[in-house]
Amino acid sequence: VKSQTSANDSDTTSSDSFLSDKSAKVFVAGHRGLVGSAIVRKLQALGYTNLALRTHAELDLTRQSDVESFFAAERPRFVILAAAKVGGIHANNTYPADFIAVNLQIQTNVIDAAHRHGVRKLLFLGSSCIYPKFAPQPIPESALLTGPLEPTNEWYAVAKIAGIKMCQAYRIQHGWDAVSGMPTNLYGPNDNFHPENSHVLPALMRRFHEAKVRGSKEVVVWGTGSPLREFLHVDDLADGVVFLMENYSGLEHVNVGSGKEVTIKELAELVKEVVGFEGELVWDSSKPDGTPRKLMDSSKLLGLGWSPKISLKDGLVDTYKWYLEYVKQ
């Protein structure tokens, strides 16, 4: 069996361990997004001194020649691939070509160039939407490719599944250490609070905040509040990413979740409390609820010794503090 480190490593003097050399060059792709920015915060807090960061204007990851030049010049030792084109149901329905093409281009360019330029380890990040629409709950890693996807985001999901398979193929054929992590629903600083196309948690936070500012008597939320959802603070994900970089070199992708479920009703009441909205919360049960339950089975990662640290309440307080500083009008 080939060793996990490829023969063309330019620097063989240091240990293979991710945490053992804080001066090793780490390329965090997508460092300005929700996930990438949290990973950068975490690595800086741990004392990493050689982060290779490029904005989209500086490096367009969809352009193969630009990615090639970057890797040839920079030769990072580790790569964390958190760059992706993401969006809600409306965006996926409107721009399906962008969602499949841009994500396939980013992944293919970065993964292939990283391997050819001697990167020691790469971590590819996906999302829970890779799983079949009717996957068992909680969703284990083994549910991948066992049934049809949710049609509204299959363009994005197919690209992410291809990324997982590409990492596996490069491991099988080249003995290269490429791993994949699939996070659950994330929230935290740098989230998207856009009124039309944000996810449920930031959308609720914005609505309660705006209602508080206006002095509204009530906030109406769609559905009954009964669906169960799982949320992970993005700083916990960043901690899990470091854990996987240090401790995991398996073929299968790994779910990264909190393992804790909350009803949308409980979530809304918690957000209302954190924001300090004094009015009433009204449920419009004539509107659809969505999937009754969506939870990832993260027992594989928990079994390796990792666990999330940030409670939902503390995470919401932290996120609202960020919202007040950076987002509110």
Side-chain angles (χ1 to χ4, degrees):
V1 180
K2 278 192 189 174
S3 97
Q4 297 294 7
T5 49
S6 54
N8 61 351
D9 267 345
S10 52
D11 180 1
T12 51
T13 55
S14 67
S15 159
D16 281 351
S17 159
F18 180 67
L19 286 169
S20 65
D21 185 0
K22 306 289 175 65
S23 65
K25 186 175 285 187
V26 184
F27 174 40
V28 181
H31 75 281
R32 297 218 288 199
L34 170 67
V35 172
S37 59
I39 292 168
V40 169
R41 284 196 302 274
K42 179 71 180 173
L43 294 178
Q44 288 172 338
L46 287 169
Y48 284 81
T49 55
N50 200 356
L51 301 182
L53 308 174
R54 295 290 185 280
T55 63
H56 179 72
E58 292 167 332
L59 174 60
D60 183 346
L61 296 174
T62 67
R63 299 176 69 98
Q64 187 180 16
S65 59
D66 294 5
V67 174
E68 184 69 25
S69 303
F70 168 80
F71 275 93
E74 293 293 330
R75 301 190 74 82
R77 192 177 305 152
F78 299 105
V79 173
I80 298 169
L81 182 40
K85 181 174 179 63
V86 297
I89 291 171
H90 176 70
N92 271 269
N93 281 336
T94 315
Y95 309 109
D98 293 356
F99 278 92
I100 193 162
V102 170
N103 284 304
L104 284 173
Q105 286 163 348
I106 291 171
Q107 295 159 199
T108 308
N109 293 343
V110 172
I111 293 168
D112 185 64
H115 168 250
R116 283 184 294 100
H117 290 282
V119 166
R120 188 162 296 163
K121 183 169 191 169
L122 176 142
L123 171 66
F124 170 69
L125 288 162
S127 93
S128 56
C129 78
I130 61 165
Y131 290 112
K133 180 171 182 164
F134 300 110
Q137 299 289 338
I139 310 170
E141 285 88 356
S142 58
L144 184 65
L145 295 174
T146 57
L149 299 163
E150 168 59 60
T152 51
N153 61 15
E154 67 177 346
W155 321 105
Y156 175 79
V158 163
K160 287 293 174 185
I161 293 167
I164 294 172
K165 289 296 167 189
M166 190 165 174
C167 289
Q168 291 177 344
Y170 275 60
R171 179 180 293 278
I172 292 164
Q173 185 174 330
H174 300 296
W176 186 50
D177 197 3
V179 297
S180 300
M182 298 297 126
T184 186
N185 300 314
L186 301 166
Y187 72 99
N190 291 311
D191 205 343
N192 172 17
F193 289 87
H194 190 279
E196 265 80 67
N197 56 17
S198 56
H199 293 119
V200 60
L201 191 153
L204 285 170
M205 185 166 285
R206 183 185 179 118
R207 291 188 60 201
F208 281 123
H209 173 78
E210 290 176 349
K212 180 176 90 165
V213 170
R214 282 196 309 264
S216 305
K217 294 276 190 290
E218 61 177 40
V219 166
V220 179
V221 183
W222 278 24
T224 63
S226 65
L228 287 157
R229 292 293 181 269
E230 174 188 27
F231 296 95
L232 185 72
H233 192 285
V234 72
D235 289 348
D236 269 335
L237 171 64
D239 187 63
V241 161
V242 170
F243 182 89
L244 288 170
M245 287 296 287
E246 177 69 9
N247 297 293
Y248 185 73
S249 289
L251 184 66
E252 193 178 40
H253 63 284
V254 182
N255 287 343
V256 187
S258 64
K260 294 184 172 67
E261 290 180 287
V262 59
T263 65
I264 296 295
K265 188 172 192 292
E266 289 166 333
L267 174 69
E269 283 166 354
L270 205 49
V271 173
K272 177 178 183 280
E273 180 192 331
V274 166
V275 170
F277 173 64
E278 302 287 344
E280 206 176 337
L281 173 52
V282 179
W283 295 93
D284 180 359
S285 55
S286 71
K287 296 289 195 295
D289 262 336
T291 312
R293 186 183 191 208
K294 193 176 176 195
L295 171 70
M296 287 171 70
D297 181 349
S298 299
S299 55
K300 178 173 177 166
L301 180 58
L302 300 173
L304 292 170
W306 180 82
S307 61
K309 318 283 187 294
I310 303 167
S311 73
L312 185 56
K313 175 79 182 281
D314 290 347
L316 289 172
V317 169
D318 168 73
T319 305
Y320 187 53
K321 208 162 77 180
W322 183 87
Y323 175 87
L324 288 175
E325 201 171 331
Y326 292 101
V327 181
K328 72 174 178 66
Q329 276 63 47

